[in-house]
Amino acid sequence: MATESDIGWSSTLTGSSSFFTGFLRDVQIEGFGERSAVDSSHMSTTNGWRTFIPGDLKDPGGITAEVLFNPGNMTGYKTIVSSTRETFTFTSPSAGTSACTLACSGFCTSASIAVPMDDMMVATITLKFTGEPTVTNGTT
């Protein structure tokens, strides 16, 4: 079992075809392996407390990434939100000798750009995974 953690510096997020490149600032892996709870309550459930069973289907979640906005790649932000699925791979550094990876088929559901007066311009990209993710543990 891994006993060390590391900072996120040098993490990458890539797509197999259309995903544009950008300098990552922040990555949130959302709902990774989320399973729904199915209400199994009935008219004679003990003391009126709801009961639940785990659903059969798992939601693979997705990733929200903040990248430095590059005005020279404006068309990339327009075309990334499409119905085309591709494989996205997130690679994170490891405190040991090799990185961990998370790869899954998915598509971009949104792209937004923030242009503050006195700070870096950033874009926020939201990816929705579909199907089972492939994960590889890093080594420590």
Side-chain angles (χ1 to χ4, degrees):
M1 182 168 132
T3 58
E4 298 181 47
S5 189
D6 203 350
I7 59 174
W9 183 79
S10 77
S11 294
T12 61
L13 178 62
T14 58
S16 59
S17 60
S18 67
F19 191 70
F20 67 93
T21 58
F23 294 110
L24 285 176
R25 294 267 303 231
D26 186 62
V27 175
Q28 297 290 320
I29 299 172
E30 300 163 345
F32 183 58
E34 183 177 323
R35 181 185 297 272
S36 64
V38 177
D39 190 337
S40 61
S41 305
H42 48 82
M43 295 284 195
S44 56
T45 299
T46 305
N47 295 326
W49 286 95
R50 288 190 180 274
T51 58
F52 297 89
I53 61 172
D56 289 334
L57 301 175
K58 294 176 273 189
D59 183 337
I63 287 181
T64 297
E66 182 182 87
V67 299
L68 293 181
F69 172 64
N70 177 349
N73 195 19
M74 187 64 138
T75 57
Y77 296 95
K78 176 185 172 191
T79 59
I80 189 173
V81 181
S82 72
S83 60
T84 303
R85 283 187 276 184
E86 60 182 286
T87 299
F88 294 100
T89 302
F90 170 73
T91 304
S92 178
S94 173
T97 57
S98 69
C100 65
T101 61
L102 163 66
C104 195
S105 178
F107 52 93
C108 181
T109 59
S110 69
S112 61
I113 301 166
V115 184
M117 181 176 73
D118 192 28
D119 202 353
M120 298 299 294
M121 295 185 293
V122 294
T124 302
I125 310 301
T126 304
L127 308 173
K128 178 62 182 160
F129 290 152
T130 178
E132 184 176 3
T134 301
V135 295
T136 304
N137 289 333
T139 57
T140 56

